[in-house]
Amino acid sequence: MQEAVARRVAASLIINYCNLIRKMKTIYLAGGCFWGMQHFMQQIYGVTATRVGYANSVVENPDYKLVCTGATDAAETVEVGYDPDKISLFRLLQLFFMAIDPTTLNRQGGDIGTQYRSGIYYVDAEDLPVIERAIDYERGEVRDPVVTEVGRLVNFYPAEEYHQDYLDKNPSGYCHIDPALFKLAREANAPGKVDKESYEKPDDRELRERLTPLQYAVARENLTERPFLNEYNAEFRPGIYVDIVTGEPLFLSTDKFESGCGWPAFSRPIDKSLLDEHRDLTHGMDRTEVRSRKGDTHLGHVFDDGPKELGGIRYCINSASLRFVPLEDMEKQGYADLIPLLSR
């Protein structure tokens, strides 16, 4: 018994050490039966390692049978290692909330008991403001109070081996999470969702006829539009932003944030390979210009002063270089395949 526990604890320490060496991060998420939550997390691009176990137990080294009695006050939890360069903690928590009901206390699906409560447990104090922001966001999405527990991780004891990767070993095994959500998890943060071959750059004559004078001057002649007095600075409806020249999707509304700069700001593109970056020394400044690769559209500039919880990057983009497609219009305009990227 003690030897098995020691092996499980050692394995957990190895994951944390590897995450540290590789500059990975770790968060602990409780969302009902850990079989389904682990499988859900494993689908997300940017998640590098998972392990199920018992968090914040008042009894040392509990086993599954004891946890099920409620005597340990432990929560069935998934240890999630992730690459912050591929997925932000805020985005990860958005997906987590997609898979749980944050308004039910000590219950998820048909599983009832304190071990099935929902919770977010952190080891890095800098994560707390991000978690609180995600909780506040979720409160705006549901009618009932959010009861998901938030706190520092006190302890984590890896569960028995047969619980690890349970649904991989038992594909028809019990799971309280809707199987359709696994597909959404795979697609929601996946890179390269845009079919780059479907978008072509029109000739200059067509662009002059189709674009407004301001759109042409910004997209083709590198003009910068006026701050604040532009079309999408205050636009925050769900949808996508596409290249005004080619129609190629470039940015998601879920990655847009209020930066105060006066232009639309995004934490990342849908796929970084859709963009080109060039050093820009005009106007006495040293900046990095961003252009669309297919359309060669001048979009704006990228800076490293974005919100830390969103990755620290700010794509400052001209509204005139973009066209916004609201979520409700995406299917009829041919962007149905990208709708899952906006799913929570």
Side-chain angles (χ1 to χ4, degrees), residues 45-336:
Y45 177 77
V47 170
T48 58
T50 61
R51 183 174 296 270
V52 298
Y54 314 114
N56 294 355
S57 174
V58 297
V59 177
E60 288 188 12
N61 303 325
D63 59 20
Y64 182 68
K65 184 176 180 180
L66 184 59
V67 169
C68 287
T69 68
T72 68
D73 200 35
E76 290 197 12
T77 299
V78 182
E79 180 183 58
V80 181
Y82 66 97
D83 184 344
D85 291 333
K86 294 179 179 177
I87 186 168
S88 68
L89 176 58
F90 184 80
R91 181 59 172 155
L92 187 63
L93 293 178
Q94 282 188 309
L95 297 175
F96 167 67
F97 280 120
M98 182 174 73
I100 70 167
D101 180 351
T103 68
T104 59
L105 183 64
N106 299 332
R107 176 175 182 171
Q108 289 297 313
D111 300 312
I112 301 175
T114 56
Q115 72 269 33
Y116 298 119
R117 65 186 182 269
S118 63
I120 303 170
Y121 310 117
Y122 60 91
V123 292
D124 185 345
E126 292 185 354
D127 289 342
L128 181 57
V130 184
I131 297 169
E132 291 175 337
R133 179 169 170 265
I135 291 285
D136 285 341
Y137 184 91
E138 189 63 21
R139 288 193 181 108
E141 298 295 310
V142 295
R143 293 182 179 180
D144 297 326
V146 172
V147 295
T148 298
E149 186 175 60
V150 173
R152 184 181 289 276
L153 184 77
V154 178
N155 53 53
F156 178 79
Y157 298 101
E160 295 82 349
E161 184 58 33
Y162 74 91
H163 287 300
Q164 306 298 335
D165 305 309
Y166 184 85
L167 290 181
D168 289 339
K169 302 170 186 173
N170 304 276
S172 60
Y174 167 77
C175 180
H176 70 290
I177 297 176
D178 184 344
L181 292 177
F182 296 140
K183 181 174 184 292
L184 286 178
R186 287 192 296 272
E187 295 176 342
N189 196 56
K193 293 299 294 182
V194 176
D195 180 2
K196 304 177 182 65
E197 303 306 316
S198 299
Y199 303 93
E200 296 296 333
K201 176 184 173 184
D203 61 33
D204 191 66
R205 188 169 110 177
E206 180 182 338
L207 287 176
R208 286 184 180 276
E209 292 176 352
R210 177 162 60 83
L211 302 183
T212 68
L214 176 62
Q215 288 171 334
Y216 186 88
V218 172
R220 309 306 307 143
E221 298 174 342
N222 301 348
L223 181 75
T224 298
E225 64 192 355
R226 296 177 66 184
F228 300 102
L229 302 176
N230 55 77
E231 190 171 5
Y232 301 132
N233 177 54
E235 176 62 77
F236 287 97
R237 288 178 295 164
I240 59 173
Y241 293 82
V242 307
D243 187 344
I244 194 66
V245 170
T246 65
E248 185 174 39
L250 300 177
F251 298 97
L252 300 174
S253 61
T254 48
D255 295 318
K256 190 173 187 289
F257 63 92
E258 175 55 65
S259 70
C261 68
W263 293 277
F266 301 89
S267 59
R268 60 178 180 175
I270 293 177
D271 183 344
K272 198 170 182 180
S273 71
L274 302 175
L275 306 181
D276 280 328
E277 297 182 2
H278 307 275
R279 190 177 186 187
D280 179 4
L281 297 175
T282 61
H283 306 293
M285 294 182 281
D286 190 346
R287 299 176 293 175
T288 301
E289 181 199 12
V290 180
R291 303 186 74 89
S292 63
R293 183 163 296 178
K294 181 61 70 71
D296 192 32
T297 304
H298 170 69
L299 300 174
H301 295 84
V302 60
F303 303 93
D304 60 3
D305 59 1
K308 187 175 180 180
E309 65 269 21
L310 299 180
I313 301 298
R314 173 172 63 96
Y315 286 87
C316 184
I317 307 298
N318 289 285
S319 290
S321 297
L322 303 173
R323 180 171 65 84
F324 176 64
V325 182
L327 174 60
E328 60 268 24
D329 295 337
M330 287 175 62
E331 183 172 4
K332 66 183 179 183
Q333 292 192 31
Y335 299 105

